[in-house]
Amino acid sequence: MKLLRYIAVALESILIHKMRSFLTMLGIIIGVAAVLSTMGLGRGASAQITEQIASQGTNLLTIIPGATSFGGVSSSSSAQTLMMGDAEAISDSRFHPAVAAVAPAFSNNAQLVSTANNSNNQVVGTVPAYAGINNIKVASGRFLNDADILENRQVVVLGSNAAAGLFANTDPLNQPIRIAHEPFTVIGVLEESGGTGFNNPDDRVYVPIGVAQGRLFSAGRYRGDYVVSNITVSATSEEEMDAAIRQIEQTLRLRHALATGEDNDFRIMSQASLLETLSSVTATLTLLLGGIGAISLLVGGIGIMNIMLVSVTERTREIGLRKALGAHDSDILLQFLIEALVLTSLGGVLGILLSYGVGALVSAIAAGSFHLLIQFDSIILALGVSAGSGLIFGLYPAIRATRLDPIDALRYE
């Protein structure tokens, strides 16, 4: 009952000084909203990237060039160590029973020009299997086929953003475009994948790999064979991922003549390892962003201490009268602590509401392509920290109130 009475007294004091109380809570409101919004930003980005990676399947492997070795000295330079022959060797099911499909790719950026527009996009030279491995879906037309590869046809498949940017309200199919001054014909447009930011899959365009290597970008050669940027592989199942990795590693080490104990000059990345690395990075990023937002809570806590000290000074005579009538120090301490806790708790609740408003605004601006992910544990943490700041920063003013001498307090003007 005593606790409820003190809460009522605290609310009455807040209502009497509405503007001062609101300005005091403002630091907590902004602090809680900043913590939830920044943590929501990190978690939202993590969830979106994780969804994009998972949408490609859990049995996907990506092989990229790694360090090279010259005279026993390892170098992590940009030298390309993966070749077309490597992809062909991995495709041999006799030695790689855990491998279902293989797709080499060679990519670079280039200027694309249509009749009315132009843009700079990533051009990926690849083979028909690339679409199936990476779960790419065609909205209209078709993807690359075997005849395109064998005859080095100058045809192109556009990502959804690339098609919209180059052709706006015109149907892109069978339209001519130029890529790095070379003429191409559009044979397909892909469905939107929902990617955002740098290197968005919807901004990419796809051409036969031989055309990209020989005509567009003059790809280099390694040990007499055209190099590739990467090789994507799908395992026969998620359970066969480890077996596929072992088989691929063994083949590539033999082809690259790597001695026992010598480091690989390539790297094999699975979706699981990629998600694990991503989770670690985004968790660190989320904590960092949350820590930056927590500074606002610290500032808000200092504001609470300041206003509670003012409140103690203003109510000196009240404190003296209560003590003269028999109030214990614990009663005075509890009264001012509860007032500080009520201020910070109200500020925390308003801060949570503000963070949801920020989330709705971000979603509206991003047209639903990005969301702040505010989870329940973040809300509990924000409320706990705001209440804790009230307890910590309200303690000194409350102790100061208990130390007032009743006689001196009654004489205070």
Side-chain angles (χ1 to χ4, degrees):
M1 292 299 294
K2 184 185 291 188
L3 185 64
L4 292 175
R5 188 169 68 250
Y6 285 144
I7 291 175
V9 171
L11 290 172
E12 184 180 351
S13 176
I14 291 170
L15 291 173
I16 291 171
H17 306 284
K18 297 183 185 69
M19 182 55 69
R20 187 175 74 181
S21 298
F22 174 73
L23 293 175
T24 302
M25 288 189 295
L26 195 58
I28 297 296
I29 294 170
I30 294 174
V32 169
V35 169
L36 289 177
S37 297
T38 51
M39 292 184 70
L41 178 68
R43 286 179 168 178
S46 174
Q48 185 178 29
I49 296 171
T50 299
E51 183 181 352
Q52 288 180 10
I53 293 174
S55 68
Q56 296 177 347
T58 56
N59 61 338
L60 178 67
L61 297 172
T62 303
I63 312 167
I64 61 174
T68 55
S69 180
F70 298 95
V73 178
S74 181
S75 168
S76 58
S77 67
S78 59
Q80 299 291 298
T81 55
L82 287 179
M83 301 160 281
M84 289 293 294
D86 293 332
E88 294 170 5
I90 296 170
S91 300
D92 192 335
S93 59
R94 294 173 300 171
F95 303 104
H96 310 91
V99 171
V102 180
F106 185 85
S107 59
N108 209 332
N109 287 345
Q111 190 78 11
L112 277 64
V113 181
S114 66
T115 305
N117 300 298
N118 69 88
S119 62
N120 191 279
N121 299 77
Q122 184 183 38
V123 180
V124 180
T126 189
V127 297
Y130 187 93
I133 293 173
N134 291 277
N135 198 26
I136 291 175
K137 295 180 173 59
V138 178
S140 61
R142 64 174 178 84
F143 197 72
L144 304 172
N145 61 29
D146 291 334
D148 297 328
I149 307 301
L150 290 173
E151 299 174 16
N152 281 331
R153 294 174 180 171
Q154 292 187 211
V155 292
V156 60
V157 179
L158 303 179
S160 58
N161 287 351
L166 289 170
F167 292 98
N169 299 320
T170 307
D171 183 5
L173 287 183
N174 301 316
Q175 296 292 325
I177 67 169
R178 301 187 76 85
I179 304 176
H181 307 295
E182 293 288 337
F184 282 78
T185 301
V186 178
I187 60 170
V189 177
L190 303 180
E191 289 184 3
E192 184 177 357
S193 67
T196 58
F198 178 73
N199 202 20
N200 183 349
D202 292 330
D203 292 327
R204 295 175 188 158
V205 304
Y206 300 88
V207 300
I209 189 167
V211 176
Q213 291 169 320
R215 186 174 291 275
L216 288 179
F217 303 122
S218 300
R221 293 178 181 269
Y222 185 69
R223 296 176 179 170
D225 198 0
Y226 269 131
V227 300
V228 296
S229 302
N230 60 71
I231 301 172
T232 51
V233 177
S234 64
T236 52
S237 67
E238 189 174 352
E239 291 73 22
E240 292 294 318
M241 290 281 282
D242 290 339
I245 291 172
R246 289 194 302 271
Q247 294 162 13
I248 292 168
E249 183 177 16
Q250 183 178 23
T251 295
L252 292 183
R253 287 187 64 85
L254 287 172
R255 282 186 51 81
H256 295 188
L258 299 176
T260 303
E262 191 174 357
D263 291 338
N264 291 337
D265 59 357
F266 56 88
R267 285 184 291 166
I268 304 174
M269 299 186 300
S270 67
Q271 297 294 79
S273 63
L274 192 58
L275 285 172
E276 184 178 343
T277 302
L278 172 67
S279 298
S280 175
V281 171
T282 52
T284 303
L285 175 63
T286 300
L287 287 175
L288 176 62
L289 292 173
I292 294 171
I295 296 173
S296 300
L297 274 177
L298 177 63
V299 174
I302 294 171
I304 292 289
M305 178 183 286
N306 180 55
I307 205 65
M308 291 306 296
L309 286 171
V310 171
S311 181
V312 168
T313 302
E314 286 181 344
R315 297 158 67 181
T316 299
R317 286 178 62 84
E318 176 194 329
I319 294 167
L321 182 61
R322 291 195 64 201
K323 282 195 167 189
L325 293 174
H328 295 94
D329 286 349
S330 60
D331 295 321
I332 304 298
L333 181 71
L334 189 60
Q335 177 185 345
F336 283 92
L337 268 182
I338 287 177
E339 187 169 327
L341 285 169
V342 169
L343 273 172
T344 53
S345 297
L346 284 174
V349 171
L350 292 174
I352 291 170
L353 296 176
L354 178 61
S355 67
Y356 276 101
V358 171
L361 181 62
V362 169
S363 295
I365 293 174
S369 62
F370 183 79
H371 303 278
L372 290 183
L373 187 58
I374 301 174
Q375 297 180 329
F376 184 71
D377 63 333
S378 299
I379 294 175
I380 296 300
L381 176 63
L383 281 176
V385 171
S386 61
S389 65
L391 182 64
I392 294 169
F393 290 102
L395 188 60
Y396 173 69
I399 291 174
R400 184 173 174 179
T402 64
R403 291 177 178 173
L404 289 174
D405 184 86
I407 297 174
D408 292 334
L410 287 170
R411 288 175 178 172
Y412 182 80
E413 295 293 337

